Amino acid sequence: MEVASFQRLCYLLLIGLVILVSIRSWFLHVEETNFIDCSIYSPWCTFKNRFQATSNIFLDTQRPTSRDHQTHHPHHPLDPLTIQEINKALSILQSHPPFISSFPAIHSLVLEEPHKPQVLNWKKGDPLPPRAASVIAFSQGHSHILSVDLNTAQVTLHEINEGSGYPILTRDDVAVALSTPFADAEFNRTILARGVELADLTCVPLAPGWYGAKEEGRRLVKVQCFSNRGTANYYMRPIEGLTVTVDVDQKKVVHLSNTGSDIPIPKAQNTDYRQVAQNDPPQMLPINPISMEQPKGPSFQVENGHLIKWANWEFHLKPDPRAGVVVSRAMVRDSETGRMRSVMYKGMASELFVPYMDPTEGWYFKTYLDAGEYGMGLTALPLDPLNDCPRYSYYMDAVFVAADGSPYVRPNMVCVFERYAGEIGWRHAESPIWGKKIREVRPKVTLVVRMAASVGNYDYIIDWEFQTDGLIRIKVGLSGMLLVKGTPYKNMNQVPKEEDMYGTLVSENVIGVIHDHFINFYLDMDIDDSNNSFVKVHLTKVDTSPGESPRKSYMSAKRQVVKTEKDAQIKLKLYDPSEFHVINPSRRSIVGNPSGYKVVPGGTAASLLDHNDPPQLRSAFTNNQIWVTPYNRSEEWAGGLFAFQSKGENTLGVWSDRDRPIENKDIVLWYTMGFHHVPCQEDFPIMPTVISSFDLKPVNFFDRNPILRASPNVEKDLPICRPASAA
Amino acid sequence: MEVASFQRLCYLLLIGLVILVSIRSWFLHVEETNFIDCSIYSPWCTFKNRFQATSNIFLDTQRPTSRDHQTHHPHHPLDPLTIQEINKALSILQSHPPFISSFPAIHSLVLEEPHKPQVLNWKKGDPLPPRAASVIAFSQGHSHILSVDLNTAQVTLHEINEGSGYPILTRDDVAVALSTPFADAEFNRTILARGVELADLTCVPLAPGWYGAKEEGRRLVKVQCFSNRGTANYYMRPIEGLTVTVDVDQKKVVHLSNTGSDIPIPKAQNTDYRQVAQNDPPQMLPINPISMEQPKGPSFQVENGHLIKWANWEFHLKPDPRAGVVVSRAMVRDSETGRMRSVMYKGMASELFVPYMDPTEGWYFKTYLDAGEYGMGLTALPLDPLNDCPRYSYYMDAVFVAADGSPYVRPNMVCVFERYAGEIGWRHAESPIWGKKIREVRPKVTLVVRMAASVGNYDYIIDWEFQTDGLIRIKVGLSGMLLVKGTPYKNMNQVPKEEDMYGTLVSENVIGVIHDHFINFYLDMDIDDSNNSFVKVHLTKVDTSPGESPRKSYMSAKRQVVKTEKDAQIKLKLYDPSEFHVINPSRRSIVGNPSGYKVVPGGTAASLLDHNDPPQLRSAFTNNQIWVTPYNRSEEWAGGLFAFQSKGENTLGVWSDRDRPIENKDIVLWYTMGFHHVPCQEDFPIMPTVISSFDLKPVNFFDRNPILRASPNVEKDLPICRPASAA
């Protein structure tokens, strides 16, 4: 055999192997793909079919099905890796010399985004910039960071994390964490001693945080268990005080803490939230069906699966295992010239910090970094049509990668829909005293991108809402279950006055423990172009001079262009307020104001933890509500790339303290929303959604009101509807 | 003729007179009633007819028309005065000895609400408590406060206001203010000198505020004028620096200030916001029709025109000339027992404060108290169906009273509608790692009460939104036009660096002057009963003891029942936060927590003005975001009953400083929302709506999640729609 033929044979064998691996992955993850079972979720299926039958607004003429993902190829520099690309990356890694003998666990395998200029210079029709995979792998105690060039089939970067922390947990890690305790005799004895049968046990994998040297140098998961007897809502039935610390690499129990043996397991009664578990109708008058109807279909277009075009907006949208969704290259059409103008290069949830406020043995470590430890995308399950998102939503699937490197499809992870909520875009009615009859009102229609992450007990609903007036609203809704603590108390009259329960008695034997949620958004604003400045518009009281005016005082706005990072570490102050603008100093409006957007704070809460408390060191991004840093490809995750068990030495707080120049540069705005949550009985057994939001709002970006020429609703354009039951 | 016969004749004559007066009023105000002209506002008429034809959900079998108002009679102790009752009050006043020779101007004539126990003890079917009118009249320099008992036909109270301030402006006052300058030669000369023809002039009546002795002791209006040539939006064309001070009782010009003769009148181009004035389509992809559809009709009921019943809520709703709308006796059904439980006895917008931040001659006095000077209800014009409110809205008319005492109808002043905005009531999806397939999501449907006040240039959209989870959201939207200032500058490059323009150059020769909006809500909370307490739940950092925990700190909630008013003067602090609860100390939940609601702040901004600045003295209610006072019938208007030109000596700030006990008493919560508005070009020539809101949220009021048993949407319940154009 010639050498060339031998090479060809090898090549063919390799391709065969890749195909085999792909098929294997496909079968391995078919259960995930089929998570939505038509026999169970018939509304979803009905809807999906119906929608395909009646609408062809999506430029993918057929909505991609799981099958399509197999053959899908990228159309945009920011399109996520396809199944084919993931498999190619995997095969390259398998041939990468250090991994040939021992293949690592894949903790993350995503598109390595091309450098910004490559994306900015790319135009539709151009060949795509070289495609590459960014990989985080773990093997024998080391976290590997790799870049895999898919065009040259080369590993172009291979580094080992020298700092603290580990990558996001894989599903395999979780499986190990949850199965390991069952091999431990003490664990089994304890469970039985608590009166729980092993068959009724549900355990959850809790990130241990970082609390000093004792738990360093190994990947640990703290397992806590519940009784699911008599309820699907096992979260309300904790086996209090039992915490099993598992080394997920050694696959063994490191420590078992059992401090709550005198605490009863709360009863199952009234805890199940599922519709099948409800016997009585609600105590209210029935609500007739109501829905947002669009008989001519939605107005947005989805080009090649990821590019959204609606009204005056255009942006790229992709699912991400860690951030949930990433909105890129958001551009809005100028209301005067019709030209598309850049607003934001990239926006995403960067990290979540959820500290519980109980310092006792079973609780002190509950200080989660949900994005870096569990992944906001990995935990975002398929959305429920008609309930999670209205009719006429477009659903986007995610392609994620399992620990063995094989791709799988998470269907319906993101939805996109138009929203009319009865709101008013602008209005004016003129008093009849002037003899004029003017009443001009414009309804507000917006476009929403939604995902919902179920990080264990908690559900985070994250909306990106685009308005035609140029405003982007970022909205976070919290629902799901409280993380609760068992207690011997059944009524507050049994609780000694001086006792700090660390929470609220929300039901008999159940304490809803006080906690916070902080969610930080990475917002790479590119107002008209990359070179931007951050401006504080400080509102201050000015005293008038004697005799100057009958007024003693007024409020004045003083603009200050911020030079370096530390001056952009913003703590909001109600009595010393400012506006916070990102402007393009070289782009002036028709009357000479710099083009800009401001961040309009909302959902504000500050972390009260000690700055030197270990969890606060790791999540120092919550020390301020606003931060601005110079753009740096490696600074995307506010809690650090390796958040799991990290000490926080490579996070937003540390980067910003370098105090780099940020004037007239490519800058990134970081906004931290916060929620203090003192639970109440209404949160039991499942929480009514709490919503907060903040806005990115144009300020002198448009020369005038960009929706001045919008049309009002008129009767003849609205649909004629009849009840479906009358069909 | 016998004495008895003579009395009978007198009686008949009196009745005849009343009828005559009624008919006269009817004709006088027919133009107001017909403000909505079907030939112009055809969508409204189409809608109204259509709605009547297809729905009978409103227990008034026929929706009251203007004609019905003539014969309408009250059904509930809080129902507003009917036309018949107003006419009766008027005739009683006309026979009231002090007024026989000289009848005063009627500035307010509304229901005098029965005392609280009478309302609380009243049950449907009971006779109504005695009906009475509360009247504010003005005559010969004196403000009269009168109570008129309609049952006994007696004036039961007649007081003269001894303090500062005057009642709300009447439409007659406005007419005088606007016509008086034209009799002044200097005014006419000035207008012509500014190059404006009198036919192109539109003038507005500005409240002068209070700035010392010079303007005391007489009712003054400051008139400012604009050129309406070439635009319906004359607000953008100020004749800058021309302010005419008119004594509206003397009907003469007191002072003419003309400081801006070098300032050009901004051009008309691009200012008109009306649809008829737009030539080009907007620079965006078209948006297909979208509407909230309810093929089975809305689910709420309107009993006798004012009692709203929806889902688990019931409340009384009435228009009010000063507050806009008043929500009374809001009760929610207990999710466990089905019993109706009291939440709020009365809620309404109490005062608005809008200070402009320019101390110069033409601007310093612009520090409005919109509710007390103009009336949020009096300025709330008919809503525009399909644009101000969605389809299937119920519209409520107001019956107001003119300066001569005659009643008139303001049609469609308030709308009530159900809202589905694609939001989620609660949700949870269970990770498949446990092998469970759980995804339970409940859509959120709410009920909205809306009005929109057009106080001159500004439009305030006020929503009361009721959620099935017990939450009440109070939402304020701002739209309409900026109050702008003329300037010689056409571009920022002409403005010297050191110059304070007091605002933003929003167009050539147009400055949008910086200002604030503060809106205070009166919230007479009655949680389960009238005796309530106000509790601060203070969130504080607690440091752990050495060795106690790997954690250094945690956040703890300390409850403090507030004893007296001064301790309930709340300035919100981001880094020293509290929750603020109104609880019923004698009503405990199933596990012993006191039943309560908390106010969840939103739309926070603090007034930065000097506390001794005259406008801040008058609006000291903005010194804190939250106040709590003991219930007092005479303390309803945060800026004082006589706000116009008042010194603020009888306002919320003064009442609260009495430091009365508020523990376990009937208490009133006052919440002040704030908006700092630094204008931007997008606000020109009409502002995209800015919305903020705050919530009243149940805390341990329900024993558990009250919407646990709500149903999800299913396809079969949703309507089948087709485009109307295909009809």
Side-chain angles (χ1 to χ4, degrees), chain A residues 127-439:
Chain A
L128 291 183
R131 301 280 289 174
S134 173
V135 181
I136 292 176
F138 188 79
S139 175
Q140 296 166 336
H142 295 295
S143 303
H144 301 253
I145 308 159
L146 302 110
S147 294
V148 180
D149 187 316
L150 299 177
N151 294 53
T152 63
Q154 296 292 315
V155 173
T156 55
L157 174 105
H158 185 166
E159 287 176 356
I160 307 284
N161 175 36
E162 304 289 350
S164 72
Y166 296 109
I168 213 162
L169 281 176
T170 67
R171 199 158 144 176
D172 290 1
D173 293 332
V174 169
V176 166
L178 298 188
S179 62
T180 299
F182 289 88
D184 185 275
E186 191 185 349
F187 174 78
N188 285 281
R189 267 198 308 277
T190 307
I191 294 299
L192 296 175
R194 293 288 191 105
V196 179
E197 288 176 32
L198 288 175
D200 294 337
L201 211 58
T202 300
C203 300
V204 298
L206 305 181
W210 170 75
Y211 290 92
K214 219 177 85 186
E215 295 180 344
E216 278 178 30
R218 48 185 175 172
R219 295 196 306 140
L220 299 177
V221 169
K222 302 221 173 190
V223 176
Q224 193 182 332
C225 301
F226 303 81
S227 167
N228 62 36
R229 184 157 210 160
T231 182
N233 192 354
Y234 55 85
Y235 284 111
M236 297 302 114
R237 306 200 68 201
I239 300 173
E240 192 53 48
L242 176 64
T243 311
V244 187
T245 307
V246 174
D247 181 321
V248 288
D249 292 309
Q250 299 280 329
K251 297 187 174 49
K252 67 173 195 190
V253 171
V254 167
H255 183 67
L256 187 146
S257 170
N258 182 19
T259 58
S261 48
D262 55 331
I263 298 173
I265 295 172
K267 60 188 182 202
Q269 195 194 336
N270 287 339
T271 61
D272 206 329
Y273 52 89
R274 293 171 306 161
Q275 196 183 18
V276 292
Q278 310 309 320
N279 297 314
D280 306 313
Q283 292 280 5
M284 57 180 75
L285 299 171
I287 294 176
N288 290 343
I290 179 168
S291 73
M292 277 190 260
E293 290 295 326
Q294 300 181 276
K296 293 183 180 171
S299 321
F300 61 92
Q301 299 180 338
V302 183
E303 204 173 286
N304 295 316
H306 292 284
L307 200 65
I308 316 289
K309 295 179 174 185
W310 172 76
N312 47 353
W313 281 101
E314 179 180 318
F315 57 89
H316 185 274
L317 181 64
K318 66 173 176 184
D320 182 85
R322 183 162 180 167
V325 295
V326 176
V327 172
S328 296
R329 299 225 63 201
M331 294 188 286
V332 69
R333 195 174 296 277
D334 189 274
S335 59
E336 307 309 307
T337 66
R339 193 168 54 84
M340 293 306 293
R341 294 170 60 189
S342 167
V343 174
M344 185 176 72
Y345 183 77
K346 184 174 182 176
M348 62 180 189
S350 164
E351 192 51 275
L352 257 96
F353 175 44
V354 189
Y356 284 79
M357 301 302 176
D358 181 338
T360 61
E361 169 66 11
W363 281 80
Y364 74 87
F365 63 88
K366 292 174 180 169
T367 51
Y368 305 111
L369 292 171
D370 281 336
E373 293 173 342
Y374 299 101
M376 294 294 283
L378 295 175
T379 56
L381 300 170
L383 293 161
D384 184 33
L386 300 189
N387 290 297
D388 270 325
C389 314
R391 260 185 174 178
Y392 307 105
S393 295
Y394 169 82
Y395 290 90
M396 189 180 288
D397 300 344
V399 176
F400 290 150
V401 177
D404 63 0
S406 55
Y408 63 93
V409 175
R410 171 71 49 82
N412 292 17
M413 195 199 105
V414 184
C415 70
V416 181
F417 61 90
E418 267 171 306
R419 176 177 185 265
Y420 168 63
E423 284 167 358
I424 295 168
W426 58 259
R427 88 180 303 280
H428 183 61
E430 191 77 354
S431 169
I433 56 172
W434 294 280
K436 290 178 199 289
K437 285 183 181 174
I438 299 180
R439 186 178 46 172

Side-chain angles (χ1 to χ4, degrees), chain B residues 346-566:
Chain B
K346 184 174 183 176
M348 62 179 188
S350 164
E351 192 52 273
L352 257 95
F353 175 44
V354 189
Y356 284 80
M357 300 302 176
D358 181 337
T360 62
E361 170 65 12
W363 280 81
Y364 73 88
F365 63 88
K366 293 174 179 169
T367 49
Y368 306 110
L369 292 171
D370 281 337
E373 293 172 343
Y374 299 100
M376 295 294 284
L378 294 175
T379 57
L381 299 171
L383 294 161
D384 184 33
L386 300 189
N387 290 297
D388 270 325
C389 315
R391 259 184 176 180
Y392 308 105
S393 294
Y394 170 84
Y395 291 90
M396 191 180 287
D397 300 344
V399 176
F400 291 150
V401 177
D404 64 0
S406 56
Y408 64 94
V409 175
R410 172 70 50 83
N412 292 18
M413 195 198 104
V414 185
C415 71
V416 181
F417 60 90
E418 267 171 306
R419 176 177 185 264
Y420 167 64
E423 284 167 358
I424 295 168
W426 58 259
R427 89 181 301 281
H428 182 62
E430 189 79 352
S431 169
I433 56 171
W434 293 281
K436 290 177 201 290
K437 286 182 179 172
I438 299 180
R439 186 177 47 172
E440 296 273 344
V441 190
R442 301 296 178 269
K444 181 186 279 191
V445 179
T446 60
L447 185 80
V448 178
V449 171
R450 174 172 295 172
M451 55 151 282
S454 299
V455 191
N457 53 312
Y458 250 103
D459 290 55
Y460 296 94
I461 304 150
I462 300 183
D463 284 1
W464 289 79
E465 185 171 13
F466 295 83
Q467 298 188 177
T468 53
D469 61 7
L471 186 142
I472 303 175
R473 173 158 293 180
I474 296 139
K475 211 185 265 186
V476 176
L478 309 179
S479 188
M481 263 72 71
L482 292 172
L483 206 56
V484 302
K485 180 176 184 172
T487 174
Y489 302 123
K490 288 178 184 296
N491 193 292
M492 285 303 292
N493 60 23
Q494 302 167 334
V495 183
K497 266 243 153 63
E498 63 284 3
E499 181 159 335
D500 187 348
M501 296 202 305
Y502 310 112
T504 308
L505 193 68
V506 295
S507 183
E508 287 185 7
N509 305 121
V510 183
I511 292 170
V513 175
I514 297 170
H515 58 281
D516 285 337
H517 300 266
F518 297 101
I519 177 164
N520 178 279
F521 285 88
Y522 169 98
L523 304 159
D524 179 2
M525 305 302 288
D526 275 16
I527 304 300
D528 276 316
D529 191 354
S530 290
N531 279 2
N532 286 179
S533 293
F534 179 64
V535 178
K536 286 194 241 186
V537 180
H538 190 194
L539 302 179
T540 48
K541 185 181 89 163
V542 178
D543 293 315
T544 57
S545 319
E548 180 191 348
S549 167
R551 282 273 282 278
K552 285 194 195 308
S553 63
Y554 64 99
M555 182 178 77
S556 180
K558 312 278 183 213
R559 298 173 66 87
Q560 182 213 335
V561 177
V562 179
K563 306 288 183 192
T564 62
E565 287 177 288
K566 281 191 180 175

Side-chain angles (χ1 to χ4, degrees), chain B residues 97-393:
Chain B
F99 292 162
I100 287 174
S101 58
S102 162
F103 196 72
I106 303 299
H107 287 249
S108 172
L109 196 165
V110 295
L111 174 74
E112 180 157 308
E113 293 189 2
H115 285 266
K116 244 173 128 164
Q118 290 180 294
V119 176
L120 293 171
N121 292 329
W122 180 87
K123 276 178 289 299
K124 197 178 167 181
D126 290 353
L128 291 182
R131 301 279 290 175
S134 172
V135 181
I136 293 176
F138 189 79
S139 176
Q140 297 166 336
H142 296 295
S143 304
H144 301 252
I145 307 159
L146 301 109
S147 294
V148 181
D149 187 315
L150 299 178
N151 293 53
T152 63
Q154 295 293 314
V155 173
T156 54
L157 173 105
H158 186 166
E159 287 176 356
I160 306 284
N161 175 36
E162 303 289 352
S164 71
Y166 296 109
I168 213 162
L169 282 175
T170 67
R171 197 158 145 178
D172 290 1
D173 294 331
V174 169
V176 166
L178 298 187
S179 63
T180 300
F182 289 88
D184 185 275
E186 192 186 347
F187 174 78
N188 285 281
R189 267 199 308 277
T190 307
I191 295 298
L192 295 175
R194 292 290 191 104
V196 179
E197 290 176 30
L198 288 175
D200 294 337
L201 211 58
T202 301
C203 301
V204 299
L206 304 181
W210 170 76
Y211 290 92
K214 220 176 83 186
E215 295 180 344
E216 278 177 29
R218 48 186 176 173
R219 293 197 308 141
L220 300 177
V221 170
K222 303 223 172 190
V223 175
Q224 193 183 330
C225 300
F226 303 82
S227 167
N228 62 37
R229 184 158 208 156
T231 183
N233 192 355
Y234 55 85
Y235 284 111
M236 297 301 113
R237 306 201 67 202
I239 300 172
E240 192 53 48
L242 175 64
T243 311
V244 188
T245 307
V246 174
D247 182 321
V248 289
D249 292 310
Q250 299 280 330
K251 297 188 176 46
K252 68 172 193 191
V253 170
V254 167
H255 183 67
L256 185 145
S257 169
N258 181 19
T259 58
S261 50
D262 55 332
I263 299 172
I265 294 172
K267 61 187 183 204
Q269 194 195 336
N270 287 341
T271 61
D272 206 329
Y273 52 89
R274 293 171 306 160
Q275 195 183 20
V276 292
Q278 311 309 320
N279 297 315
D280 306 313
Q283 292 280 5
M284 58 180 76
L285 299 171
I287 295 175
N288 291 343
I290 179 168
S291 72
M292 277 189 260
E293 291 295 326
Q294 300 180 276
K296 292 184 180 171
S299 322
F300 61 91
Q301 300 180 338
V302 184
E303 205 174 285
N304 295 314
H306 293 283
L307 199 65
I308 316 288
K309 295 181 175 184
W310 172 75
N312 47 352
W313 282 101
E314 179 179 317
F315 56 91
H316 185 274
L317 180 65
K318 67 172 176 185
D320 182 84
R322 183 163 182 167
V325 295
V326 176
V327 173
S328 297
R329 299 227 64 201
M331 293 189 286
V332 68
R333 195 174 296 277
D334 188 275
S335 59
E336 307 308 307
T337 66
R339 193 168 53 85
M340 292 307 291
R341 294 170 60 189
S342 168
V343 174
M344 184 175 73
Y345 183 78
K346 184 174 183 176
M348 62 179 188
S350 164
E351 192 52 273
L352 257 95
F353 175 44
V354 189
Y356 284 80
M357 300 302 176
D358 181 337
T360 62
E361 170 65 12
W363 280 81
Y364 73 88
F365 63 88
K366 293 174 179 169
T367 49
Y368 306 110
L369 292 171
D370 281 337
E373 293 172 343
Y374 299 100
M376 295 294 284
L378 294 175
T379 57
L381 299 171
L383 294 161
D384 184 33
L386 300 189
N387 290 297
D388 270 325
C389 315
R391 259 184 176 180
Y392 308 105
S393 294

Side-chain angles (χ1 to χ4, degrees), chain A residues 530-535 561-569 582-583 585 627-631 656 659-668:
Chain A
S530 289
N531 279 1
N532 287 179
S533 292
F534 179 65
V535 178
V561 177
V562 179
K563 306 289 182 194
T564 61
E565 286 176 288
K566 280 191 181 175
D567 268 352
Q569 296 177 351
V582 176
I583 62 153
W627 310 71
V628 179
T629 59
Y631 173 79
S656 165
D659 208 20
R660 294 162 291 189
I662 53 170
E663 188 184 357
N664 200 11
K665 289 209 173 311
D666 190 0
I667 54 176
V668 177

